[in-house]
């Protein structure tokens, strides 16, 4: 591969990645939500990565979140509004590199259809109170639900049990 071919391929891949990023932004849940903030307020309270995931629907790299290895008793809360979302006893190691749970707490999350990937329909999940993107739900989890809530750790805050 010569330099010109490499540069053309890199430019094309960059354009595809940018388009995918913009397409993902369209999957972020829209209100009305109990807690709302302006874009500037969200940007002020979140890191760049947290904002990209929670407000634009991006995905953090696998194995990048310390919450993937969190195994203490406690509750995982929404980073955007502190709503309790998942109990630690529903967390399991899915081997995917993202914190995974088989069930959310009652009335904690909302879902919607995500068609941002070509020929693939997924279930996106978000905080029901502030709309922050959490991740996706798949049908390959353990019993008793058979579900895998595959979440971005940057969307969560862990609160250990007392």
């Amino acid at each position: 591969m010569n330099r010109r071919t490499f540069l053309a391929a890199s430019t094309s891949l960059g354009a595809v990645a940018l388009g995918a990023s913009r397409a993902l932004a369209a999957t972020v849940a829209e209100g009305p939500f109990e807690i709302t903030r302006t874009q500037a307020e969200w940007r002020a309270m979140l890191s760049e990565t947290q904002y990209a995931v929670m407000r634009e629907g991006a995905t953090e790299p696998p194995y990048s979140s310390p919450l993937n290895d969190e195994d203490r008793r406690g509750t995982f809360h929404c980073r955007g509004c502190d709503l309790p979302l998942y109990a630690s006893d529903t967390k399991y190691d899915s081997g995917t590199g993202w914190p995974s749970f088989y069930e959310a707490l009652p009335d904690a999350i909302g879902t919607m259809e995500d068609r941002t990937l070509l020929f693939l329909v997924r279930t996106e999940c978000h905080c029901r109170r502030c709309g922050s993107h959490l991740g996706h739900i798949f049908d390959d989890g353990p019993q008793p639900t058979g579900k895998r809530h595959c979440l971005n750790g940057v969307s969560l805050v862990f609160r250990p049990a007392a």
Side-chain angles (χ1 to χ4, degrees):
M1 174 183 288
N2 66 31
R3 187 174 179 180
R4 181 179 297 165
T5 304
F6 176 77
L7 289 173
S10 296
T11 302
S12 296
L13 286 174
V16 168
L18 179 60
S21 169
R22 288 184 179 154
L24 281 176
T27 69
V28 176
E30 295 184 12
F33 294 105
E34 293 172 40
I35 294 180
T36 58
R37 294 184 174 91
T38 65
Q39 184 178 18
E41 290 170 327
W42 282 113
R43 285 192 181 278
M45 70 178 277
L46 301 172
S47 72
E48 187 176 319
T49 300
Q50 291 165 345
Y51 185 88
V53 170
M54 295 169 60
R55 306 315 304 168
E56 297 178 334
T59 300
E60 69 186 0
Y63 299 101
S64 65
S65 173
L67 293 183
N68 191 47
D69 298 321
E70 180 59 67
D71 60 0
R72 294 175 292 169
R73 290 192 59 234
T75 308
F76 294 81
H77 292 239
C78 174
R79 180 173 299 281
C81 69
D82 206 35
L83 179 71
L85 301 172
Y86 292 88
S88 62
D89 60 357
T90 65
K91 186 176 185 288
Y92 69 99
D93 183 1
S94 66
T96 61
W98 289 281
S100 298
F101 303 81
Y102 62 78
E103 182 176 54
L105 292 170
D107 197 32
I109 65 167
T111 62
M112 64 185 212
E113 193 174 87
D114 175 357
R115 293 180 171 268
T116 57
L117 297 179
L118 196 59
F119 305 115
L120 180 64
V121 178
R122 302 182 296 174
T123 301
E124 184 266 348
C125 63
H126 57 270
C127 173
R128 68 111 181 123
R129 187 160 67 182
C130 71
S132 291
H133 173 76
L134 302 172
H136 292 86
I137 302 173
F138 301 96
D139 292 325
D140 60 0
Q143 292 306 315
T145 65
K147 301 290 184 187
R148 173 172 51 100
H149 294 230
C150 188
L151 307 182
N152 293 284
V154 297
S155 299
L156 306 172
V157 174
F158 178 71
R159 306 259 187 255

